[in-house]
Amino acid sequence: MKLYYAPGACSIGIHLLLEEIGKPYEGIAVNLREGAQFKPEFTAVNPKSKVPTLVRDDGSVLTEYPAIAYWLARTNPFANLLPDNIDLQARVLELTDYCVATIHMQGFSRIFRPSNYAPSAADEDAVKARGKEIAEKGFAVLNEALAGKDYAVGSFSIADSALFYVEFWSKRVGIALPANCAAHLERMLARPAVQRMLKAEGLA
Ligand SMILES: N[C@@H](CCC(=O)N[C@@H](CS)C(=O)NCC(=O)O)C(=O)O
């Protein structure tokens, strides 16, 4: 298997799941700042120009965070990345989608790439501020979901990898995490798989 990732990007969540699973894989860094995602070498693999991108052992390519995380969990049941209970599985998908589709794509995307949302450069500060509001509201929701739990649905699952990457980004943009999210981030940082991933990406 090959994981195309960018250091510190949302792909950190998939990268840590591969470390949790512990099977051999190749990590290939894509330099988003230099535009490597738009070069033919990468678009031949993923025409969406996005990481994470997973190339499976049969050569087929899987994209989109929730799909990759779900496939990794289902094909590696020994790693216990998805609970057996269907109701809890639905909660895992609900939280994963909220992190990716709302907190990341609507919140952090506005903060990291305001020009994609602003009609002119003069509007960019307002776009960033709106992104911060969306992310902060998202963390308030996650904080409630984490109340009384070590992990998103009790035991560790793919949802925690998605929570982790948005929590990890919070420091970068000056968002103070509410208490349960801050404790969850610390708990995640204490996992050996997360430490291995951070070292591999030069973020430790
Ligand atoms: N919906 C995609 C989002 C992936 C995404 O936005 N990845 C960002 C990095 S966090 C990216 O590759 N951006 C490329 C760019 O900014 O040009 C997913 O769930 O995987």
Side-chain angles (χ1 to χ4, degrees):
M1 244 174 342
K2 285 184 201 164
L3 174 68
Y4 288 85
Y5 72 94
C10 56
S11 43
I12 57 175
I14 299 297
H15 202 167
L16 78 85
L17 292 177
L18 287 171
E19 286 295 331
E20 292 282 350
I21 291 164
K23 286 184 183 167
Y25 67 92
E26 185 186 349
I28 302 171
V30 180
N31 193 327
L32 299 182
R33 285 204 188 93
E34 288 178 4
Q37 69 274 37
F38 303 114
K39 302 242 165 81
E41 301 83 54
F42 186 73
T43 55
V45 181
N46 182 0
K48 295 175 183 170
S49 296
K50 299 275 185 192
V51 295
T53 297
L54 190 73
V55 181
R56 296 178 285 187
D57 288 341
D58 66 359
S60 64
V61 175
L62 197 57
T63 64
E64 303 298 325
Y65 193 101
I68 298 171
Y70 177 77
W71 182 82
L72 286 173
R74 290 302 303 265
T75 52
N76 297 283
F78 62 89
N80 294 317
L81 300 174
L82 202 57
D84 290 334
N85 179 287
I86 291 182
D87 224 50
L88 287 179
Q89 286 182 9
R91 292 289 173 212
V92 166
L93 297 177
E94 182 183 41
L95 282 163
T96 303
D97 191 60
Y98 188 61
C99 291
V100 175
T102 299
I103 301 180
H104 172 183
M105 299 311 299
Q106 295 184 37
F108 281 100
S109 290
R110 279 184 167 76
I111 302 171
F112 293 148
R113 296 239 189 265
S115 59
N116 288 348
Y117 300 86
S120 70
D123 299 307
E124 289 189 10
D125 281 348
V127 166
K128 279 191 198 171
R130 180 71 190 120
K132 192 162 180 257
E133 266 172 28
I134 293 169
E136 280 170 344
K137 180 180 171 192
F139 286 123
V141 171
L142 295 183
N143 202 51
E144 286 295 311
L146 283 166
K149 294 181 205 143
D150 282 353
Y151 292 106
V153 296
S155 59
F156 181 82
S157 74
I158 54 174
D160 296 291
S161 72
L163 264 74
F164 171 75
Y165 87 73
V166 290
E167 288 165 349
F168 188 79
W169 283 349
S170 67
K171 281 198 185 130
R172 210 196 277 178
V173 301
I175 290 178
L177 287 176
N180 297 334
C181 293
H184 179 262
L185 175 59
E186 289 308 314
R187 208 167 285 122
M188 289 295 294
L189 288 168
R191 291 181 77 87
V194 173
Q195 284 302 318
R196 288 195 297 275
M197 174 280 291
L198 292 173
K199 196 163 170 225
E201 296 205 7
L203 304 168

